[in-house]
Amino acid sequence: QLVESGGGLVQPGGSLRLSCVASGFTFSSHVMSWVRQAPGKGLEWVSGISRSGDSTNHADSVKGRFTISRDNSKNTLYLQMNNLRDEDTAVYYCAKCSWAPYYNMDVWGNGTTVTVSS
Amino acid sequence: VVLTQSPGTLSLSPGERATLSCRASQSATSSYQAWYQQKPGQPPRLLLYGASTRATGTPARFSGSGSGTDFTLTISSVEPEDFAVYYCQQYGSSPPMYSFGQGTRLEIK
């Protein structure tokens, strides 16, 4: 199970930190991702992180503004979002990733809503 | 990788066969391809992975096929609970990232 929190209303240029607490599986054994969905739109992968946290990747749309991290001792995934823009408004999902030989997202949280507006 | 799904909307009656297409801008390994189902107000749910392997809990009426740049999701006989939006996904390794198609909405005719 994955449970996200930390969403809310923030002004453009502001910051938020999202959290995702995992349970029911060995968190430290799995690659994790954040995926977002703008209102009425499709899915967009945002960021991914390796099992140990030493390797991260971000979509070009958030590179330099968002940082993904994890604390395996707390079974928690984070997404630090800085310099937020209107277009970052979305539901943010955390997802457990299957890794080698298959690459997909097999467990999803229910999402947390981020609204960027003045 | 840019994924293009077609059609954008598919209108069918229960019991009909549904064929959803996903075309990639570049060839990819089948093991990198997956399909998801999303119903209103819910997160996506993994349906198929490796292009054709059903995820746990996916009914046998769902099947997947394809390779290279063209992948297909087929529902042999649409049930009322299948009306939803379907997304295809590809993984790219250089750099590591996931891409999603824009989705196909399966609606009741």
Side-chain angles (χ1 to χ4, degrees), chain A residues 33-35 43-48 57-59 105, chain B residues 96-98 100:
Chain A
S33 281
W34 287 97
V35 176
L43 303 171
E44 179 189 16
W45 173 81
V46 174
S47 303
N57 292 283
H58 300 273
M105 299 173 200
Chain B
M97 66 171 293
Y98 294 86
F100 291 95

Side-chain angles (χ1 to χ4, degrees), chain A residues 24-67:
Chain A
F25 64 94
T26 305
F27 180 70
S28 60
S29 295
H30 293 277
V31 172
M32 299 293 294
S33 281
W34 287 97
V35 176
R36 68 183 180 183
Q37 186 169 36
K41 303 297 184 182
L43 303 171
E44 179 189 16
W45 173 81
V46 174
S47 303
I49 188 167
S50 63
R51 297 172 184 85
S52 64
D54 60 352
S55 178
T56 63
N57 292 283
H58 300 273
D60 287 345
S61 58
V62 306
K63 204 168 287 184
R65 300 188 299 123
F66 290 13
T67 302

Side-chain angles (χ1 to χ4, degrees), chain A residues 37 45 99 101 103-105 109, chain B residues 31 36 38 43 49 87 89 91:
Chain A
Q37 186 169 36
W45 173 81
W99 202 256
Y103 296 78
N104 54 71
M105 299 173 200
Chain B
S31 61
Y36 300 84
Q38 188 179 32
Y49 62 91
Y87 295 96
Q89 170 243 294
Y91 172 78

Side-chain angles (χ1 to χ4, degrees), chain B residues 35-66:
Chain B
W35 289 93
Y36 300 84
Q37 177 193 66
Q38 188 179 32
K39 297 180 179 179
Q42 297 184 16
R45 170 197 165 201
L46 178 66
L47 272 184
L48 300 169
Y49 62 91
S52 62
T53 303
R54 284 187 292 274
T56 303
T58 300
R61 61 182 180 273
F62 290 89
S63 63
S65 63

